[in-house]
Amino acid sequence: MTAFAAHLRVYEPVAAFDREERRHWEAYVRAGNIPTVQGGMAMEQAAAVRAVLGRVPGVMPVVGEHAFVTEVDGVTLVCPWRTRIRACEAIGDFRDPLPEELADMFVPRAASEVAEDELEQWRVEHPDLHTHIMSSTWQVPLRWFILVEADEREVSLGTAAAGTTRVTGRSLVYRTAMSRARRRTARALAVLRRTLDDGLVTAGVEDLGRWLEEFHPRSLVELDYGGLVHLLDDAELRQDESARDVAEALAALADGEPVKAAGAYGRVTARMKALQGVESAN
């Protein structure tokens, strides 16, 4: 089961969590029943489908308290899913830009009120906790590419299961150290503030930078195309150099070359528009 969404994740050292959560994740890692990234995405998608087919107001996905786990230089890092909290946030984000009458057609008001109350209660009870995963449907936000560089890109074309057309193991992922992601964000902001009049672009990068500051400095940042890889053929997946294009656009802006910047920016926006177009292609 595939959701056509990309994800930005932060894996934090287990030692960065408070005592109660640290004990929980230490026990979780010891137990060893840890889903793979692709398996975890499938679990969340299945839970979401079951939720939206259920009765109102019970439209929240039900998934156990899981995390993705990795190890860097002998240090165990975890990325808690916090699926239910992210679902509450997503309902609000979906409804906010829509007229109430239209929003009610997709997410009934009773459901949104339950989500809003639950999110507020969670924030009151856990003021020091935060979500470790951002998701974006039908595209990768361009500001995410600021955090990574082209040589941090890993591509797998996957393999087709015997006797079927279903491909497993297909992925496009960037991984980088938190320290690098923060430095790149700071450099990008300096360029954007000096060269762009579009406050929305700069504000989006500022919000991303503030989110990164919530985490331990030895964390790992992961940009994952998620289910979007299934909208790209093998050649498109190999040739997707969006991080390189965004870096080129920023460098050109810094050097006072707006035409070159527009060319690089145009390449990456064309890729994302092609993905977004599939949403309404039925």
Side-chain angles (χ1 to χ4, degrees):
M1 197 172 271
T2 299
F4 296 113
H7 308 279
L8 186 65
R9 306 184 186 98
V10 172
Y11 293 75
E12 273 195 294
V14 173
F17 294 88
D18 64 31
R19 184 170 61 179
E20 183 179 346
E21 263 219 305
R22 184 167 64 249
R23 287 175 176 171
H24 171 79
W25 294 125
E26 285 173 345
Y28 180 84
V29 171
R30 285 196 301 270
N33 187 24
I34 302 166
T36 64
V37 169
Q38 291 191 335
M41 288 191 293
M43 288 171 63
E44 286 195 326
Q45 174 68 359
V49 171
R50 287 194 297 269
V52 298
L53 295 177
R55 293 184 177 181
V56 176
V59 298
M60 300 300 292
V62 178
V63 180
E65 190 62 31
H66 287 285
F68 298 124
V69 179
T70 190
E71 188 173 295
V72 177
D73 297 331
V75 177
T76 299
L77 309 177
V78 299
C79 175
W81 294 4
R82 307 205 200 284
T83 304
R84 194 171 180 92
I85 298 305
R86 287 166 43 228
C88 290
E89 292 175 335
I91 287 175
D93 292 343
F94 177 82
R95 285 184 58 98
D96 284 347
L98 298 175
E100 257 190 25
E101 295 80 3
L102 181 58
D104 289 344
M105 297 294 290
F106 290 95
V107 182
R109 196 169 308 179
S112 68
E113 289 172 352
V114 169
E116 186 177 347
D117 291 345
E118 187 168 332
L119 183 59
E120 182 61 29
Q121 182 179 354
W122 182 80
R123 287 171 174 167
V124 169
E125 294 176 354
H126 307 282
D128 297 326
L129 296 187
H130 38 262
T131 54
H132 288 63
I133 304 174
M134 290 187 178
S135 298
S136 173
T137 55
W138 303 106
Q139 64 169 322
V140 183
L142 300 194
R143 61 184 175 274
W144 290 5
F145 291 112
I146 288 169
L147 309 180
V148 296
E149 288 188 349
D151 61 2
E152 295 166 337
R153 169 179 173 268
E154 298 177 10
V155 177
S156 172
L157 300 181
T159 56
T164 72
T165 58
R166 183 170 177 268
V167 176
T168 59
R170 191 175 182 85
S171 64
L172 196 168
V173 179
Y174 293 83
R175 295 183 182 90
T176 194
M178 175 62 75
S179 56
R180 295 192 189 104
R182 287 176 177 169
R183 284 198 300 270
R184 291 163 186 164
T185 302
R187 287 199 299 264
L189 276 172
V191 173
L192 294 173
R193 287 167 177 160
R194 190 173 72 248
T195 60
L196 282 192
D197 294 328
D198 190 338
L200 288 177
V201 172
T202 304
V205 177
E206 288 172 341
D207 288 343
L208 182 59
R210 280 191 288 269
W211 182 66
L212 294 179
E213 290 297 329
E214 295 178 343
F215 302 102
H216 192 279
R218 292 191 64 187
S219 299
L220 176 75
V221 179
E222 179 177 81
L223 192 170
D224 184 353
Y225 271 49
L228 299 182
V229 295
H230 298 291
L231 302 177
L232 302 167
D233 62 29
D234 288 356
E236 290 170 328
L237 201 58
R238 288 193 196 97
Q239 295 164 11
D240 187 318
E241 292 279 3
S242 295
R244 190 184 305 277
D245 290 331
V246 169
E248 183 178 321
L250 284 168
L253 283 176
D255 293 339
E257 300 182 75
V259 175
K260 184 177 179 181
Y265 180 78
R267 289 194 297 272
V268 67
T269 54
R271 290 191 198 102
M272 295 306 134
K273 285 179 179 178
L275 293 174
Q276 287 177 285
V278 180
E279 181 179 10
S280 56
N282 190 325

